[in-house]
Amino acid sequence: ETGVTQTPRHLVMGMTNKKSLKCEQHLGHNAMYWYKQSAKKPLELMFVYNFKEQTENNSVPSRFSPECPNSSHLFLHLHTLQPEDSALYLCASSQDTTFGETQYFGPGTRLLVL
Amino acid sequence: QQQVKQSPQSLIVQKGGIPIINCAYENTAFDYFPWYQQFPGKGPALLIAIRPDVSEKKEGRFTISFNKSAKQFSLHIMDSQPGDSATYFCAASIWTSGSRLTFGEGTQLTVNP
């Protein structure tokens, strides 16, 4: 595996379900990110982790819970989501969070909440 | 203050044409302006980036023009090809806090053969 991988690629869940999205980066980076991408809207930064520590939470509802057990893995735990949470969830990584480091994105998980 | 406005929303050109995508920002503290390219089913990938110490940067067929006084920057694609059909996002950040990219809404470019 190379770059940034995300699983699953597609997910359908009901509003009462609990599911998790997984991201793994194979680039030796120290920073990881979750973004939400909705149609015709800018990418929305959700969370940032640097050296496993959360450095940014962009006012994300508590029904989204991130976890970063090490610099290579990032999870997004989902529970009691709403239909408006349906979107493409993108994971990204960079060397660290300073000086304009390039962010490398995974292919995303397409989430549909029924 | 944190917004980046991108236009047009969609763009169709013929092969060999020069599509131009424009972005405008409000925050004068922004000093790093990357463009990302996204193909269907893929995540965005960095295409080219510019810092305000230059007014233009070229990489292959892709050129960024930057106008600091107008707080605008644009992407030009020379001799566009069908393989350039993708969604393009401009973004802006403060160089020393590179993690906080503010993205534009995206432009869906179609290059017809």
Side-chain angles (χ1 to χ4, degrees):
Chain A
E1 292 280 13
T2 60
V4 180
T5 58
Q6 291 187 241
T7 54
R9 294 294 308 275
H10 297 87
L11 179 62
V12 179
M13 59 187 290
M15 290 191 285
T16 58
N17 291 160
K18 289 185 180 182
K19 296 287 185 183
S20 295
L21 310 185
K22 179 183 176 183
C23 174
E24 183 172 2
Q25 59 94 1
H26 309 268
L27 300 168
H29 289 163
N30 298 303
M32 297 188 77
Y33 311 75
W34 280 116
Y35 285 88
K36 177 182 179 182
Q37 185 176 27
S38 305
K40 296 187 171 53
K41 291 180 68 176
L43 273 73
E44 299 173 49
L45 179 64
M46 301 174 70
F47 302 103
V48 181
Y49 279 82
N50 198 32
F51 293 93
K52 301 190 300 178
E53 298 298 318
Q54 187 180 118
T55 57
E56 192 145 355
N57 175 337
N58 198 22
S59 302
V60 180
S62 59
R63 57 185 183 270
F64 295 91
S65 175
E67 178 190 1
C68 189
N70 55 62
S71 292
S72 298
H73 294 86
L74 184 65
F75 295 89
L76 188 63
H77 304 298
L78 315 172
H79 64 98
T80 58
L81 294 191
Q82 305 299 309
E84 59 265 29
D85 297 322
S86 299
L88 182 68
Y89 288 85
L90 292 164
C91 173
S93 72
S94 66
Q95 187 59 49
D96 54 47
T97 58
T98 61
F99 300 111
E101 290 289 343
T102 300
Q103 294 183 27
Y104 294 83
F105 286 82
T109 294
R110 176 72 63 184
L111 174 66
L112 177 62
V113 181
L114 300 176
Chain B
Q1 268 274 308
Q2 294 296 319
Q3 284 186 319
V4 175
K5 293 292 189 183
Q6 183 172 347
S7 63
Q9 193 172 78
S10 63
L11 186 55
I12 301 174
V13 299
Q14 292 299 120
K15 178 183 173 181
I18 306 176
I20 301 172
I21 304 170
N22 300 297
C23 286
Y25 62 97
E26 299 171 359
N27 187 347
T28 54
F30 285 151
D31 59 358
Y32 176 64
F33 304 92
W35 284 88
Y36 280 79
Q37 179 188 53
Q38 184 177 26
F39 292 105
K42 305 285 188 182
L46 180 66
L47 184 62
I48 185 173
I50 196 170
R51 297 203 64 205
D53 51 339
V54 295
S55 60
E56 185 176 281
K57 182 173 182 180
K58 284 186 182 180
E59 285 186 8
R61 295 183 293 106
F62 299 92
T63 298
I64 300 179
S65 298
F66 181 76
N67 186 329
K68 187 175 181 178
S69 60
K71 293 187 287 184
Q72 295 176 348
F73 58 110
S74 59
L75 177 70
H76 302 232
I77 306 176
M78 308 300 290
D79 187 28
S80 59
Q81 302 296 312
D84 297 328
S85 297
T87 301
Y88 293 80
F89 294 93
C90 62
S93 73
I94 300 171
W95 178 252
T96 52
S97 60
S99 62
R100 181 159 259 295
L101 284 171
T102 299
F103 283 88
E105 298 94 334
T107 297
Q108 187 166 356
L109 172 67
T110 301
V111 181
N112 288 324

